[in-house]
């Protein structure tokens, strides 16, 4: 089996795995009951799913300009998803949409 065929197979597996993780994230956002659970579902598997999709694309495309663009998309995804999740969680907490009994540690509580 040639290295190009192996790269194509690995790319296909990465694309399918990334699509399944993104689907799991979407189902979690729809099905989970509270904001913090939805926030977790929207960030953790979705980011890994996007990174796997980008890996599959890079294994399939293999040109330098495409790899640069894919790397930029991955970097921006890794930089923005945690910040967005932090902002959503903080806004939910401040607006009273978080059940504080479910929190193990409440660092924002008034002393």
């Amino acid at each position: 089996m040639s290295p190009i065929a192996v790269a194509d197979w690995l790319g296909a597996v990465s694309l399918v795995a990334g699509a399944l993780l993104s689907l799991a994230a979407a189902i979690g956002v729809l099905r989970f009951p509270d904001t913090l659970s939805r926030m977790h579902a929207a960030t953790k598997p979705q980011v890994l799913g996007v990174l796997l999709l980008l890996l599959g694309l890079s294994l399939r495309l293999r040109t330098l300009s495409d790899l640069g663009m894919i790397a930029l998309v991955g970097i921006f995804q890794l930089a923005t998803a945690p910040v967005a999740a932090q902002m959503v969680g903080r806004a939910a907490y401040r607006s009273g949409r978080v059940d504080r009994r479910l929190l193990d540690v409440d660092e924002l509580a008034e002393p």
Side-chain angles (χ1 to χ4, degrees):
M1 201 172 209
S2 71
I4 293 176
V6 171
D8 285 341
W9 276 103
L10 289 174
V13 168
S14 295
L15 287 170
V16 170
L20 289 175
L21 276 171
S22 296
L23 176 66
I27 291 171
V29 168
L30 292 175
R31 299 285 301 183
F32 284 159
D34 61 337
T35 304
L36 297 180
S37 298
R38 288 181 186 152
M39 181 182 67
H40 178 78
T43 55
K44 305 286 185 193
Q46 188 268 337
V47 170
L48 182 59
V50 167
L51 291 178
L52 283 172
L53 287 170
L54 293 175
L55 175 67
L57 282 174
S58 64
L59 288 171
R60 184 71 181 124
L61 295 176
R62 296 185 204 99
T63 62
L64 189 59
S65 63
D66 291 334
L67 292 178
M69 187 62 68
I70 289 170
L72 282 175
V73 170
I75 289 168
F76 285 132
Q77 183 70 29
L78 286 173
T80 57
V83 174
Q86 173 71 21
M87 293 175 68
V88 167
R90 194 171 189 93
Y93 181 87
R94 290 189 176 195
S95 65
R97 297 186 185 265
V98 173
D99 186 8
R100 294 181 180 176
R101 294 173 295 158
L102 297 175
L103 300 176
D104 291 334
V105 177
D106 191 358
E107 296 176 351
L108 298 176
E110 305 269 334

